[in-house]
Amino acid sequence: MNYQTLRHHCPTWDDYIKHDFVKQLAAGTLAPDSFRHYLVQDYLYLIHYTRVMALSVYKSDTLAQMRVGQAGINVMLDMEIGMYLDFCHQWGIALETVENAPESTVTIAYSRYILDAALSGSLAELYAAIAPCLMGYGEIGKRIKAEGFITGNPYQPWIDVFASDAFQAITAQNEAQINELLAQASPAQADKFQQLFNTASRMEVNFWQQALDLS
């Protein structure tokens, strides 16, 4: 088993990476309020995601695995979370507003789901649960780049991050980590990994949708 197996057998994968939110963002037609809603909720989600990456270090068996987890933490704290705060500033959302915003029910459900998987399961189960988030954004960025950028797109700075060579390199490193962890899965373990992956993909669909619905 490997990451591509999980992706191929996920019934909601296309709903996730080709969601209307993503399509509108790529076309530059996404409503500004939807983007603002997404920025705030994703910042709140990423705080919990960083805790999951910290647990990945704790659950690692080798130094190499620890370093992948450490790299994930560094990306969150040094790049992605800061990037979202920068976007919030650019879009007129004060830091105090972001940090004190209530988590939506979708954000609570998704973030606690991955935390529970990280706390209760193996390192492989942890990665199966975060793989849609971990890998999906890289795929989205790569696909938007391949389809061609829209001139004057107000969301181009967000797209540029996930379409960048640096982020694609991180995605490739994570895929190698996932593949190594899943390689020796028994049939029962493979079913568990797929279930975790599928549920997280559904959560990603809901995360996009809440931004469109402003819910």
Side-chain angles (χ1 to χ4, degrees):
M1 185 176 214
N2 58 29
Y3 163 71
Q4 292 299 330
T5 304
L6 293 175
R7 181 189 177 283
H8 179 72
H9 289 95
C10 179
T12 59
W13 190 252
D14 280 352
D15 296 333
Y16 163 37
I17 64 166
K18 298 178 181 178
H19 194 277
D20 282 344
F21 179 95
V22 177
K23 292 178 180 178
Q24 292 174 29
L25 187 146
T29 59
L30 181 68
D33 282 347
S34 288
F35 190 63
R36 292 188 183 96
H37 188 285
Y38 162 76
L39 288 176
V40 172
Q41 291 303 314
D42 209 34
Y43 167 83
L44 298 172
Y45 166 82
L46 289 174
I47 297 297
H48 297 293
Y49 184 95
T50 306
R51 295 187 174 111
V52 171
M53 294 311 299
L55 284 166
S56 79
V57 175
Y58 175 76
K59 296 208 168 192
S60 293
D61 294 320
T62 68
L63 182 60
Q65 291 173 350
M66 286 182 169
R67 283 178 169 153
V68 173
Q70 180 193 32
I73 295 170
N74 292 343
V75 167
M76 288 297 106
L77 295 181
D78 298 337
M79 186 187 80
E80 200 157 343
I81 289 176
M83 176 190 74
Y84 275 85
L85 289 177
D86 288 344
F87 284 152
C88 286
H89 177 72
Q90 294 164 17
W91 286 79
I93 310 170
L95 176 60
E96 183 179 2
T97 299
V98 179
E99 293 183 332
N100 292 295
E103 292 177 285
S104 70
T105 54
V106 170
T107 302
I108 292 170
Y110 190 12
S111 62
R112 291 354 178 245
Y113 172 74
I114 60 172
L115 274 169
D116 180 67
L119 285 164
S120 63
S122 64
L123 183 64
E125 288 171 354
L126 180 157
Y127 272 94
I130 65 170
C133 180
L134 191 64
M135 303 298 296
Y137 275 60
E139 182 173 338
I140 288 167
K142 185 176 182 179
R143 183 171 56 81
I144 293 174
K145 183 177 181 179
E147 292 174 352
F149 297 143
I150 303 298
T151 302
N153 188 341
Y155 307 112
Q156 191 62 45
W158 183 95
I159 295 168
D160 286 341
V161 171
F162 300 107
S164 69
D165 291 342
F167 195 86
Q168 293 301 318
I170 293 169
T171 301
Q173 181 188 45
N174 287 323
E175 182 168 359
Q177 169 89 324
I178 293 168
N179 290 347
E180 180 181 343
L181 290 168
L182 303 187
Q184 304 303 320
S186 68
Q189 288 172 325
D191 288 344
K192 176 67 171 179
F193 297 150
Q194 191 70 59
Q195 181 184 16
L196 288 163
F197 186 94
N198 290 354
T199 300
S201 178
R202 286 167 46 213
M203 296 282 190
E204 287 286 356
V205 173
N206 292 339
F207 205 89
W208 294 136
Q209 191 61 46
Q210 72 165 340
L212 292 184
D213 297 341
L214 301 177
S215 58

